[in-house]
Amino acid sequence: MKWIFFLIVSIFLAGCTLQNAPSSGQQIFHCPSVKEGKGVTVDFVQYAPPPEVREGRDFSLGLVFSNAFAEGMDVDLTLQDTVDTPGSFPAEGVHETLHLEGAVVENDQWYEPGCRLLEDTELTEHTLGPYFYKPLAFEDITHFTGNLRYQGHTDAGFAFCLFNPAQGPTSCSAQEQISGSQLGWQNMKAPVMITDVRKILIGSKEGVHLKFAFDLANAGGGYIGGNSEITVDVTSQDLSFTCFSEDASLDGGQHLQLTLDSEQSYTARVECETFLTLDRVQTSLIELALEYSYVYPFTSEDMKLLPERSR
């Protein structure tokens, strides 16, 4: 029975590993290794670019995009090499706009046959090239760097149990914390996540002072583009809020515009409050919506440029 076990393992590994490194110019697309990140990410396919290429030989660049949003996304791709060696790769770099299909959600997971299990993402492969570099006087090394830009959004919804603590205890709690999956699937897959919501009720004879705060965190492996701004909207069918934040450039009401100082990593906090009169326990739904421009940077492994052997 042991030989059957090893045979099965060997067949499985053959589907996701490369037995022999490809020669210059040969492209083999196997099991892309998508970097950790939320929203839309991109990475180079293994051996595309190849580890080395000789002058005049064609090579291609293979990209795999991962879209965790439920809907299709339009993304702007820019890509540049790092050498001045002449060739067919554009001196101004590559600039393309692509449409990526939305995530497939079936039984809470999506499977790429032969590769690793990916949760709630849609993979898209895209090939650039072929390219070549002209005659070389000596060996050189290059790699490719790029940015993926898109309009991101984050949506979260939750319900608060509301009552007047001054009127005595109920099944509700005056303080409440909501996080993780309680904030919804779309929030967990967004590049800017709402990580924590905290509620506090302060009761009196006149009514109830409701205060809640929520935190934002960068989870997408990139940074906020444009002017590093995030638009925040807080809505509810039966409640009106006044919201504020230390990071807000436009403050007040239920609409905020946050300007963030750090590009690569950040956290921000938004606080909201309202006053209401309650004579019974009620449940109110609150929705949070964030809009922002997001940039995901990526880079390839080094590629060695080799002159012809006869030189």
Side-chain angles (χ1 to χ4, degrees):
M1 295 298 292
K2 287 185 177 180
W3 70 270
I4 296 177
F5 172 78
F6 287 116
L7 178 62
I8 294 173
V9 172
S10 299
I11 293 173
F12 175 78
L13 293 178
C16 273
T17 59
L18 193 62
Q19 302 302 319
N20 298 298
S23 59
S24 297
Q26 182 183 1
Q27 306 304 314
I28 298 181
F29 293 84
H30 280 296
C31 293
S33 176
V34 180
K35 295 178 180 178
E36 293 299 323
K38 312 272 188 178
V40 181
T41 62
V42 61
D43 200 1
F44 287 91
V45 176
Q46 189 179 36
Y47 294 109
E52 60 182 40
V53 64
R54 291 196 176 273
E55 63 178 59
R57 302 289 181 87
D58 287 347
F59 68 94
S60 297
L61 303 177
L63 299 174
V64 60
F65 299 85
S66 171
N67 180 19
F69 287 105
E71 72 279 5
M73 298 290 290
D74 292 324
V75 298
D76 293 325
L77 171 71
T78 59
L79 193 65
Q80 185 68 56
D81 66 354
T82 56
V83 294
D84 296 327
T85 303
S88 64
F89 190 86
E92 69 279 8
V94 173
H95 303 268
E96 291 190 6
T97 299
L98 305 172
H99 179 78
L100 307 179
E101 294 300 323
V104 176
V105 184
E106 184 176 352
N107 297 326
D108 295 327
Q109 61 189 23
W110 186 85
Y111 188 63
E112 172 73 354
C115 295
R116 67 185 179 90
L117 186 68
L118 299 171
E119 295 183 356
D120 304 322
T121 61
E122 176 70 14
L123 295 184
T124 301
E125 284 189 356
H126 184 62
T127 303
L128 299 172
Y131 304 111
F132 66 87
Y133 287 100
K134 291 182 178 180
L136 304 168
F138 49 84
E139 289 187 8
D140 205 347
I141 294 178
T142 187
H143 64 270
F144 299 87
T145 62
N147 284 314
L148 189 66
R149 299 174 182 271
Y150 61 94
Q151 288 300 121
H153 63 87
T154 303
D155 299 293
F158 50 90
F160 279 155
C161 184
L162 304 177
F163 72 106
N164 190 339
Q167 296 178 357
T170 69
S171 58
C172 289
S173 175
Q175 299 188 33
E176 188 175 357
Q177 184 172 348
I178 303 173
S179 61
S181 60
Q182 294 175 305
L183 294 172
W185 176 85
Q186 295 185 61
N187 174 65
M188 295 185 67
K189 292 297 179 180
V192 179
M193 292 179 61
I194 298 166
T195 59
D196 194 27
V197 177
R198 294 167 305 283
K199 174 201 79 174
I200 183 169
L201 299 175
I202 302 173
S204 65
K205 294 180 180 180
E206 289 75 22
V208 181
H209 188 195
L210 165 63
K211 301 175 68 175
F212 75 94
F214 56 92
D215 295 329
L216 313 181
N218 182 7
Y223 57 91
I224 304 299
N227 296 320
S228 300
E229 292 180 346
I230 298 180
T231 299
V232 180
D233 283 299
V234 183
T235 59
S236 175
Q237 291 185 347
D238 50 2
L239 300 174
S240 297
F241 298 99
T242 298
C243 299
F244 52 92
S245 171
E246 293 181 356
D247 300 294
S249 56
L250 178 63
D251 197 6
Q254 298 180 191
H255 177 88
L256 294 178
Q257 185 170 293
L258 307 184
T259 302
L260 305 171
D261 295 331
S262 174
E263 288 187 340
Q264 294 297 338
S265 62
Y266 64 87
T267 58
R269 174 168 295 183
V270 176
E271 299 179 4
C272 299
E273 60 182 20
T274 189
F275 188 84
L276 59 156
T277 56
L278 293 174
D279 54 8
R280 58 181 175 82
V281 175
Q282 75 174 51
T283 300
S284 294
L285 178 65
I286 299 170
E287 296 180 338
L288 308 178
L290 315 180
E291 299 284 344
Y292 43 86
S293 173
Y294 203 80
V295 181
Y296 183 84
F298 63 102
T299 186
S300 73
E301 300 290 338
D302 287 344
M303 183 177 73
K304 185 182 295 185
L305 308 180
L306 303 175
E308 284 295 342
R309 291 186 178 90
S310 60
R311 296 189 176 184

